[in-house]
Amino acid sequence: MKSCINKVGLFVFVLALFTSCSEDVSEDYVDLPDLENRLLAGGDTTIFLTSSNAFSTPAANLNGSDLDMHLDGDFQFEAAFVTAPADVNEGIGPIFNNTSCISCHPKDGRAPFPDNLNSLSGFFLRSSIPGQDVNGGPVPAPGFGLQIQNQAIFGYEPEAKFQVNYTTIVETLADGTEITLQKPDYTLIDTYVAAPSNILLSPRLAPPVFGLGLLEAIPESEILMYQDVDDIDQDGISGKANYVFDVVSGTTQIGRFGWKANTATILEQCAGAYLHDMGITNSLFSQETGFGQTNGSDGLADDPELTEEILNQVVFYCQTLAVPAPRDIEDDSVRRGAQLFEDLQCASCHVPSMTTSSNTISAISNQTIYAYSDMLLHDMGEGLADNRPDYLANGSEWKTRPLWGIGLTQVVNGHTDFLHDGRAKNITEAILWHGGEAENAKSMFKDLTTDQREDLLNFVNSL
Ligand SMILES: [Ca+2]
Ligand SMILES: [Ca+2]
Ligand SMILES: [Ca+2]
């Protein structure tokens, strides 16, 4: 890399009153990223796979009985549900979004943004009306609840169809490259009854499900260390934990899962998915979907439709999928990119490392992990805002996404549709959508030279 006398250098210089803007940036690599240490991204669960199975492999260190449980869960994660009565996997609906976990989380990875929003896909809209329920959560939209199901079994109506319109935004990078972003605006059409005029909608696309047990095992205190709600250190980045109602304990807990950290545990996330995404009643959620049409029961008296055993297997499965190791850590460009990732403040939210505490699952106990997330909410600006609060997350706050494995998305899932609704079609677009607390990071990114930009992208893609 050249001198400090380019725009990034200047930014780095301003930022770095505490470090020093060395003449030759490569000197910094000496202290920097111990990329060798980061090779075990998921601690001892890490696998070294670069194939399409990179997200769907059991943790490398599972013991025999845990592996059995994982494999049982694997089978159930793939099970497609059908209309009752049937011999197996009965009870889909009355209304639902898709028929199996795997159909939304393909290869345990990320759903593509669907060509047809109303085909079976990994995309749906959450819904609510303004205000907070007794637990501080979103208020269900009358007749529609907290999620819009756009599919129904015979005899029932989908709640609505989804529709999207785009506005074009052009971003120009320092080297003259023009990037065209499409800003989506989602609405409901063909609703089964009139939707409340003040309905709030939040688009969500299914994220990958590997490494989640590790994220669940990070001590709350470690996450809170990164909170800086009033931005005391004045770096423009605050970061705030979400606190959400946990159905199992009946208490408020730190949120970890979902695009707004809107769920506390993998158990509740999975049980919620069975009910809301597929219409499968279970021990946590016993009322059928389509409350406006069913009054909570489909009249079959077969609830819960899912056994507790299967629920536990699927939860265990999501807790024990291996994290793939980064690649190309010896590559000079990747190493320069790792430095830029720090210099551009990416690492202030995408915090490289965390540790897990001891856990009933020994494979995920006491591991140093490299997920690249602080697990906190950040205001990401108007561009990404859904304007729908979710517990403490306001309409423009989102949880920092873990970046581990992101470079394998194309290999595993055959697409690179990033961010909460898949609007970004590659990493560059994902970064250009950053705003709010990440506005500085984004403008520094835009000011990079062509080579530097390639270095940064190479680093992100090495994860
Ligand atoms: Ca059902
Ligand atoms: Ca701060
Ligand atoms: Ca039923």
Side-chain angles (χ1 to χ4, degrees):
M1 208 187 307
K2 299 107 210 169
S3 68
C4 272
I5 318 300
N6 59 36
K7 286 177 187 160
V8 173
L10 285 176
F11 267 106
V12 171
F13 184 73
V14 173
L15 260 180
L17 297 169
F18 23 84
T19 56
S20 67
C21 185
S22 53
E23 300 302 306
D24 175 3
V25 180
S26 64
E27 280 171 18
D28 292 351
Y29 298 157
V30 182
D31 348 293
L32 231 209
D34 44 331
L35 290 187
E36 289 73 22
N37 295 344
R38 298 187 190 180
L39 200 52
L40 293 181
D44 295 335
T45 73
T46 308
I47 42 134
F48 291 82
L49 261 190
T50 55
S51 71
S52 65
N53 288 325
F55 298 164
S56 46
T57 302
N61 58 343
L62 281 186
N63 64 36
S65 58
D66 284 354
L67 183 58
D68 288 345
M69 175 91 159
H70 177 99
L71 296 175
D72 288 340
D74 190 358
F75 182 77
Q76 300 299 342
F77 195 87
E78 294 180 9
F81 285 79
V82 297
T83 313
D87 290 340
V88 283
N89 304 330
E90 59 172 2
I92 187 99
I95 57 173
F96 61 100
N97 292 107
N98 212 328
T99 60
S100 64
C101 310
I102 198 83
S103 58
C104 285
H105 302 278
K107 309 269 324 163
D108 304 310
R110 182 184 305 246
F113 186 81
D115 292 333
N116 174 353
L117 268 189
N118 295 297
S119 58
L120 291 170
S121 85
F123 175 90
F124 59 69
L125 295 170
R126 294 208 180 286
S127 54
S128 55
I129 54 173
Q132 290 192 322
D133 76 356
V134 288
N135 299 312
V139 181
F144 295 82
L146 292 170
Q147 179 170 327
I148 309 289
Q149 286 86 4
N150 63 347
Q151 312 290 332
I153 62 170
F154 183 76
Y156 296 86
E157 285 188 71
E159 286 179 324
K161 286 201 170 86
F162 304 149
Q163 183 172 269
V164 60
N165 290 305
Y166 294 101
T167 317
T168 299
I169 299 172
V170 178
E171 292 272 9
T172 308
L173 309 181
D175 66 1
T177 307
E178 287 194 352
I179 309 279
T180 306
L181 305 176
Q182 301 288 349
K183 183 173 187 199
D185 178 30
Y186 300 95
T187 46
L188 300 179
I189 52 170
D190 297 346
T191 56
Y192 81 106
V193 293
S197 58
N198 57 350
I199 195 165
L200 307 174
L201 300 171
S202 178
R204 310 277 171 114
L205 193 61
V209 292
F210 64 83
L212 300 183
L214 295 163
L215 299 182
E216 191 168 46
I218 300 168
E220 178 172 353
S221 56
E222 182 162 345
I223 297 173
L224 296 184
M225 271 169 35
Y226 294 95
Q227 263 204 143
D228 183 19
V229 179
D230 299 319
D231 193 17
I232 306 283
D233 67 1
Q234 299 194 327
D235 64 352
I237 295 177
S238 51
K240 168 178 98 183
N242 204 352
Y243 279 92
V244 306
F245 185 71
D246 171 48
V247 172
V248 175
S249 65
T251 59
T252 294
Q253 300 289 336
I254 189 168
R256 296 172 192 257
F257 303 105
W259 288 96
K260 284 187 183 254
N262 41 294
T263 312
T265 65
I266 297 171
L267 170 60
E268 183 163 338
Q269 184 78 47
C270 295
Y274 271 114
L275 183 73
H276 299 295
D277 302 355
M278 307 190 328
I280 301 300
T281 55
N282 55 73
S283 52
L284 267 61
F285 299 102
S286 56
Q287 300 238 307
E288 283 287 8
T289 49
F291 201 80
Q293 297 174 67
T294 62
N295 206 23
S297 167
D298 59 7
L300 291 179
D302 57 354
D303 307 304
E305 291 160 341
L306 192 78
T307 65
E308 189 131 22
E309 187 186 16
I310 294 180
L311 177 59
N312 289 336
Q313 288 167 348
V314 167
V315 170
F316 191 84
Y317 176 70
C318 292
Q319 286 168 328
T320 52
L321 280 163
V323 176
R327 300 144 313 281
D328 305 323
I329 58 165
E330 307 286 351
D331 185 288
D332 283 342
S333 171
V334 167
R335 292 173 65 82
R336 287 193 299 268
Q339 169 75 63
L340 286 167
F341 192 80
E342 307 273 331
D343 295 346
L344 269 56
Q345 272 190 325
C346 311
S348 304
C349 296
H350 296 281
V351 169
S353 179
M354 295 260 183
T355 51
T356 69
S357 53
S358 71
N359 191 276
T360 49
I361 306 171
S362 62
I364 61 178
S365 283
N366 304 313
Q367 302 295 320
T368 300
I369 61 171
Y370 295 89
Y372 294 89
S373 171
D374 57 8
M375 302 292 284
L376 297 174
L377 300 170
H378 295 276
D379 186 323
M380 297 298 284
E382 250 321 289
L384 281 176
D386 63 357
N387 300 309
R388 175 183 180 271
D390 211 335
Y391 292 94
L392 300 187
N394 71 27
S396 50
E397 288 174 323
W398 300 94
K399 181 190 122 177
T400 308
R401 278 309 296 171
L403 298 179
W404 54 11
I406 194 165
L408 292 166
T409 308
Q410 178 67 48
V411 174
V412 174
N413 294 122
H415 70 85
T416 51
D417 299 345
F418 296 124
L419 298 174
H420 63 269
D421 60 356
R423 67 178 64 187
K425 298 306 163 197
N426 52 49
I427 308 263
T428 301
E429 290 191 18
I431 299 169
L432 291 174
W433 275 112
H434 284 52
E437 294 171 41
E439 188 67 41
N440 279 338
K442 170 194 153 162
S443 39
M444 288 190 277
F445 173 77
K446 287 174 69 176
D447 284 336
L448 293 178
T449 64
T450 312
D451 288 349
Q452 288 170 323
R453 196 164 72 234
E454 198 172 305
D455 291 343
L456 181 73
L457 296 176
N458 284 341
F459 171 68
V460 174
N461 276 313
S462 77
L463 298 177

